[in-house]
Amino acid sequence: MSEEIRLSGEWFINETEEILPGTLHINESEKHIYLVLTKLCTPENPLSGIKARGKVSMIKGNIDTGGNILLYDCKFGGQHTQIFQRTQVAISVKYAFWNLNVANIEELRFPKVSVDFGEVLEWADLCFFESDYKDEMYAFKWKCEEKIEYSVDDNTCLTICPVFGGYPISVKQKEIHMNQKIVFQLSYEEPKQWRDIIKDIRILRNILSLGMCRSIYIDGIEYYHDSHKMEEIPEYIHPMKIFSGTGEVGKQKPGNPWEYLFTLKDLTDNGCMCLKNCFSKYQKLKPIVELATVAFHYKDISTEMLFLNLTQGLETYHARFVSDNPKVYFEMVDHLVQERYGVSSKDQYTSYALADRAFMISERNEDKTKQLHLKSRLGYLFYMRDEVWTGFIGYSREEFLQKMVDTRNYFTHYSESKENKIFSKEVMPYVNGILMAYLNFYILKEIGIEENKNLDSFRKKMVDINRTFDENKLVY
């Protein structure tokens, strides 16, 4: 059974200026926080209610046993009133800041936060324990690399550092517990508001999720605030805990290194160029990354939902990073075809060149086209100028592309007459594997992962998908 922290005290709601007694319940393992407020009724007001309703940004608490705690992003539930007795309301809370007291939400700013993303040690490869046997004695050594510091922008610095958790000096029990972790510190030249810091943390989480191909859960967050400076050492700010009530919990798994799309080393080679791209391009990449990682966040995602998300991810990538202007796109395709076949005009196109052009341009009347078709966008992305791969689980590229469009249209618009044109349910997992491989390839290309490594990874995935399909197709 999960242990729960209970803190009783008085709670001040800024928006309504109410001060009410109540109890805060914090379940760290389940990432669940809720506050129960109570207002006693009086003879003059037997139905006395609590003024605050809906969502409030901040509630400040003074704990009976001493100290204070600040609650952020609070959502009120329905009130329950017992006539002539009391009114109670339960409030769900997103974050609780231990020992923090600020006047208003605008002052909820921090010069630094530290985030522990759990089992990311193998991905980061910055520290490890090593056993040593010498002179009939066993010893454990903790080895670590230098911390990595990177300037995200003029105001933000990211530090990734290994942290040793300590160990007992003398042990006479059955088990010995030692721990280590990787801490991601975000430091700000000008203290940053918490609502914006959350966005930076989400960027880091999504980058880790993409690289490790699994869901990432936050194990812990600490904040640094000027009110916690040490008198003896003024330049030192003592970190304080942030409790999370997001409900985002899951079993942390280190993952398999051979499944990683990229590692921390890939991001930090060549002067952290890839890490720089992750942040500088993130707003443009954000919906694409989130669509690509959706499979990691939903345990029971259906093949249909995954197909739609991956197809949308490819379509969004094309619109944002290739072209969303039909005229520009058609010129781009012609330049691509002419360069490949060594010609200078459409009149010189061979039948192969015309077939390639038709694969990437499905619009019938190019002069009047105002919006690119899905078929054209996918055709371009599947074409891949260097043609590093042309196998589509037994379909020709044209057949695969048409079935992609028919399947997407069937799932979104639905028509029984078109059901025979879509991918079968047995084939869908392989189709999704192909779409995931292409989407990951293009995301890594934008991030700047070394080209040969990206192509090799893509080829391997496509070979594995097609080989597995060939081995199992007799079953279908």
Side-chain angles (χ1 to χ4, degrees), residues 16 28 114 163 166 188 254 260 313 338 382 412 416 464 467 469:
T16 57
E28 285 195 82
S114 295
V163 175
Y188 304 98
Y260 296 162
Q338 289 169 18
F382 290 155
T412 53
E416 290 184 4
D464 288 345
R467 183 180 64 245
F469 176 79

Side-chain angles (χ1 to χ4, degrees), residues 42 44 53 126 155-156 163 213 225-226 233 246 257 274 300 351 380 389 416 429 433 447 450:
T42 63
E44 296 79 19
R53 296 282 195 281
L126 291 178
N155 189 52
T156 309
V163 175
C213 295
H225 192 265
D226 287 344
I233 316 172
T246 59
C274 292
D300 301 317
S351 59
Y380 180 91
W389 188 259
E416 290 184 4
I447 289 175
E450 200 272 319

Side-chain angles (χ1 to χ4, degrees), residues 299-360:
K299 295 179 181 178
D300 301 317
I301 188 170
S302 66
T303 54
E304 293 85 356
M305 180 181 174
L306 182 57
F307 173 86
L308 290 171
N309 276 277
L310 296 175
T311 303
Q312 183 62 59
L314 287 167
E315 187 177 19
T316 304
Y317 174 85
H318 186 282
R320 291 187 171 216
F321 289 93
V322 179
S323 179
D324 201 31
N325 183 311
K327 183 179 179 181
V328 172
Y329 174 67
F330 298 148
E331 291 174 355
M332 186 185 303
V333 169
D334 280 319
H335 177 74
L336 183 65
V337 173
Q338 289 169 18
E339 190 174 77
R340 182 187 172 194
Y341 288 96
V343 297
S344 56
S345 68
K346 296 180 184 178
D347 298 337
Q348 299 172 308
Y349 283 4
T350 64
S351 59
Y352 292 107
L354 288 171
D356 284 356
R357 189 180 192 276
F359 186 67
M360 292 181 279

Side-chain angles (χ1 to χ4, degrees), residues 145-197:
E145 301 291 334
E146 291 291 326
K147 64 183 178 182
I148 296 169
E149 291 186 295
Y150 167 68
S151 179
V152 176
D153 54 42
D154 292 340
N155 189 52
T156 309
C157 179
L158 171 65
T159 304
I160 306 171
C161 54
V163 175
F164 178 50
Y167 62 94
I169 296 175
S170 177
V171 180
K172 294 184 180 180
Q173 287 82 31
K174 251 177 103 172
E175 296 181 355
I176 300 175
H177 294 280
M178 296 183 288
N179 63 77
Q180 57 184 338
K181 62 183 177 180
I182 301 297
V183 169
F184 292 74
Q185 293 182 343
L186 288 161
S187 303
Y188 304 98
E189 190 71 26
E190 288 291 329
K192 198 169 188 177
Q193 287 195 341
W194 174 246
R195 60 173 173 259
D196 295 320
I197 293 175

Side-chain angles (χ1 to χ4, degrees), residues 359 375 378 382 390 392-407 421-423 427 431:
F359 186 67
K375 190 173 183 179
L378 294 179
F382 290 155
T390 55
F392 293 98
I393 55 175
Y395 296 101
S396 70
R397 66 179 186 178
E398 287 79 13
E399 290 172 334
F400 187 86
L401 181 60
Q402 186 58 53
K403 275 195 173 289
M404 278 290 306
V405 176
D406 290 338
T407 304
K421 295 183 179 181
I422 70 173
F423 291 115
V427 171
V431 174

